[in-house]
Amino acid sequence: MLRSRRFAFISSVVVLGLASTGCGDDQRISGSSSTIAAATPPVIRVGSGSGAVSPTVSEADSKMMAPYGQTVYIYDGELPELGGTARAWRFPIGAEPDSERIAAIARVLGVEGEVRSLPVDQGGGWMVGSADYSGANLSVSMDGMLSWWFSPSPDVWGSGVACAEPDYAPLDTTPETSVDSTVEETWCEEPLPPANVPDEAAARQMAEGLFAELGYDVTILDFEAYADEWGANVAAYVLLDGERSPMSMSVGFGAEGVVTWASGFLAEPEVVGEYPLVGAPAGLLRLQDETGRWMWYGVTTLDAAASDTPVERIATDTVPGDTVPMEVFEIHLVGVHLGLTMVWDIDGTVWLLPAYVFTTAESGEFAVVGIEDGFIELPEGIPVPEPLPAEGG
């Protein structure tokens, strides 16, 4: 169980800033400088399993996945151009982690044992601690980011209140016997929230202390915290050129401020170069394209001006033998800025590419790759959802 003076509760209020703070051109994650690449940037060959060319939407917008749900994006106001060029980063595949760094992270998190390599049939990578998860362990994957995950000892979560199994009477299915059975009702005591869970401000300060102790430069991390009576979670987003990137680390806190889980990465991104941008108007067209090229959703794109209904409309789509209603949702966008989105190359390289991030009045965000087509090779045969039958499906 991990306890530390750094994780003592903080009584002072910490203001949680969701906006990125400027850090100039500082590209450091843990203190070392990134490599500057050649002037001509390479072409990204998107792997068939990559979902990064699709927008980064919330779970609430998962309706876009439905074959007969259509989403149309409408930009309210004058759309800026946002052309020119923008910088990209990457995590090349095949990077080897520093075993001493893994061991140091394990010590801070209270994981005992030596750093050992895992065989390919176990997923590869590296591990410290309990292999069967009966105790605390730290695992590091072989992906381009060298992602790591900390799992505490099971006693951190507590035993809770267990319910006894219902006592079912033996069931005799012979014709002379009724098939009815009796069940002895069992009542479970409702579990109580853990004691002394940190609030958002305390959790953020505790997370800053933890990641500093793990060897990260917290001055280029943008922290975002959430807490309720059951636990506190903190995400730490890396700032690149002063902007929040998709790279994030996280930590959870439970009773008495104990760390219940944590994750991060060991690799550092290298600067690739400047990519030419298509401009925000073309980015909006990519956002509208639900044929599969950029959005990876297989429904027909409709003209947003085709109906007078401002919020949602009903269109029709035809499958063999039937005309099926298709609900159309309008999402109104109020702003756009340049950001980054994560894309996986076919060879496993992780890319951080310039993206147009469109925002809604409710703080929703939709991001789409912003570099010119000539620098992106999308896979052949992007999957399209099978149509549902009109009746009886």
Side-chain angles (χ1 to χ4, degrees):
M1 185 175 296
L2 175 64
R3 300 180 187 275
S4 169
R5 292 192 307 273
R6 290 179 179 269
F7 306 142
F9 292 123
I10 309 299
S11 59
S12 60
V13 176
V14 179
V15 178
L16 178 62
L18 300 182
S20 301
T21 57
C23 294
D25 288 335
D26 193 344
Q27 302 146 21
R28 295 176 294 110
I29 296 175
S30 58
S32 61
S33 298
S34 303
T35 303
I36 303 298
T40 303
V43 173
I44 296 95
R45 300 170 301 150
V46 179
S48 59
S50 173
V53 288
S54 61
T56 54
V57 299
S58 65
E59 290 295 327
D61 296 296
S62 60
K63 61 179 180 290
M64 296 166 57
M65 292 294 291
Y68 298 110
Q70 168 67 43
T71 302
V72 175
Y73 300 89
I74 301 173
Y75 194 89
D76 296 332
E78 184 176 353
L79 185 61
E81 180 60 33
L82 297 181
T85 63
R87 186 153 34 178
W89 286 259
R90 69 181 173 191
F91 293 88
I93 195 67
E96 289 285 334
D98 181 352
S99 60
E100 292 184 2
R101 178 84 190 280
I102 297 176
I105 291 176
R107 284 194 298 271
V108 172
L109 294 172
V111 181
E112 298 179 353
E114 300 296 324
V115 179
R116 62 186 184 277
S117 298
L118 297 177
V120 175
D121 61 358
Q122 295 182 21
W126 301 265
M127 177 175 277
V128 182
S130 174
D132 61 0
Y133 293 88
S134 60
N137 70 71
L138 176 74
S139 58
V140 181
S141 75
M142 297 179 66
D143 63 12
M145 297 178 66
L146 297 176
S147 305
W148 60 262
W149 179 266
F150 163 68
S151 297
S153 175
D155 63 356
V156 166
W157 297 96
S159 59
V161 179
C163 299
E165 291 291 332
D167 183 14
Y168 290 93
L171 180 62
D172 187 349
T173 58
T174 60
E176 294 79 13
T177 307
S178 170
V179 297
D180 292 337
S181 64
T182 59
V183 178
E184 180 181 330
E185 291 185 349
T186 57
W187 296 90
C188 299
E189 182 181 346
E190 185 173 346
L192 298 176
N196 298 323
V197 171
D199 60 18
E200 289 185 6
R204 170 176 170 160
Q205 189 119 352
M206 292 158 65
E208 289 180 355
L210 172 62
F211 285 116
E213 193 171 359
L214 293 176
Y216 293 95
D217 182 357
V218 296
T219 66
I220 59 168
L221 296 179
D222 187 17
F223 291 88
E224 184 173 320
Y226 170 79
D228 58 23
E229 61 181 343
W230 297 98
N233 304 324
V234 182
Y237 295 88
V238 176
L239 301 176
L240 295 175
D241 285 348
E243 295 293 333
R244 179 189 283 196
S245 75
M247 299 183 302
S248 66
M249 299 179 289
S250 58
V251 60
F253 300 102
E256 309 295 342
V258 171
V259 174
T260 54
W261 53 266
S263 66
F265 55 92
L266 298 176
E268 295 192 20
E270 63 180 26
V271 177
V272 179
E274 298 278 336
Y275 279 89
L277 301 173
V278 296
L284 182 59
L285 292 178
R286 287 181 176 181
L287 198 62
Q288 302 286 8
D289 180 11
E290 295 184 353
T291 63
R293 175 170 174 77
W294 295 104
M295 300 283 290
W296 289 51
Y297 301 127
V299 292
T300 305
T301 301
L302 300 181
D303 184 357
S307 171
D308 295 328
T309 306
V311 178
E312 62 181 45
R313 311 186 302 277
I314 299 296
T316 60
D317 196 11
T318 301
V319 298
D322 293 284
T323 298
V324 182
M326 180 176 64
E327 195 167 12
V328 179
F329 303 89
E330 293 181 354
I331 295 180
H332 287 260
L333 308 171
V334 298
V336 60
H337 63 273
L338 275 173
L340 291 170
T341 191
M342 190 174 290
V343 172
W344 283 262
D345 201 305
I346 196 170
D347 67 357
T349 298
V350 180
W351 293 83
L352 301 174
L353 298 180
Y356 293 107
V357 182
F358 294 89
T359 57
T360 68
E362 295 78 24
S363 301
E365 289 190 348
F366 300 84
V368 66
V369 174
I371 68 176
E372 290 185 357
D373 290 36
F375 293 94
I376 285 279
E377 290 183 6
L378 297 181
E380 296 289 337
I382 295 175
V384 175
E386 292 290 333
L388 297 176
E391 299 291 342

